Amino acid sequence: MSIGERICFFRNKRGLTQEQLGRLIGLPDNSADVRITQYESGSRKPKGDVIKALAEVFGISPFALSISDIDDPLVILHTLFAMEDVYGAWVEKNLSAIALNFDPYNNENAARLFKMLCDWREQFEKRINGIITKE
């Protein structure tokens, strides 16, 4: 999913028009909708300050908008190769699934990532048990 597609996804999730979103991030009234259209179509890429403003409006981390193109499995595979190098990641296969593993003792960043993944899993368990919603 490209950054433009992510912007569109979060904008629609918040029930905003392109013009409303443009105004909320401080774009001029006469070009607010055009600029958001350009971002969403990919004809223009938002700069860091715009990404930050969009993230604030959406209530998300700027990283959630600027992730790599995850629609291409080859991009994902090379990202996983890099994660193996940097974080000591490896995959395991059982009868029905592939699991991505991290060695928290590989280095300081691996330990931080491991903690974040544990936190994510904890929230996921709360969601599947009906304690919280995905939103």
Side-chain angles (χ1 to χ4, degrees):
M1 185 179 281
S2 69
I3 189 167
E5 291 169 321
R6 306 259 323 142
I7 292 168
C8 184
F9 171 81
F10 286 111
R11 177 181 61 78
N12 288 329
K13 191 170 182 159
R14 298 292 187 264
L16 297 169
T17 65
Q18 291 175 327
E19 182 178 5
Q20 289 169 329
L21 177 58
R23 287 180 177 175
L24 285 171
I25 66 168
L27 297 175
D29 289 349
N30 63 345
S31 65
D33 59 338
V34 173
R35 290 273 296 277
I36 299 300
T37 299
Q38 291 172 332
Y39 296 148
E40 290 183 1
S41 70
S43 65
R44 187 174 188 158
K45 186 173 181 197
K47 294 182 177 158
D49 60 330
V50 174
I51 292 172
K52 184 177 178 185
L54 288 165
E56 286 178 17
V57 168
F58 297 145
I60 60 174
S61 165
F63 294 117
L65 291 174
S66 56
I67 61 171
S68 299
D69 180 6
I70 61 171
D71 292 336
D72 185 342
L74 195 56
V75 171
I76 296 296
L77 186 62
H78 284 279
T79 300
L80 293 172
F81 291 158
M83 292 172 72
E84 178 182 17
D85 296 338
V86 175
Y87 296 102
W90 73 95
V91 295
E92 289 182 2
K93 180 180 181 222
N94 64 30
L95 294 176
S96 62
I98 295 286
L100 184 60
N101 296 281
F102 294 89
D103 178 1
Y105 303 106
N106 190 58
N107 59 46
E108 186 176 316
N109 283 334
R112 286 182 57 226
L113 180 59
F114 185 82
K115 168 76 168 91
M116 290 175 187
L117 292 171
C118 289
D119 291 345
W120 178 18
R121 177 62 193 182
E122 182 179 314
Q123 296 307 310
F124 177 78
E125 288 174 3
K126 287 180 183 178
R127 184 167 60 95
I128 61 174
N129 290 321
I131 298 169
I132 62 172
T133 65
K134 189 169 184 175
E135 286 70 36

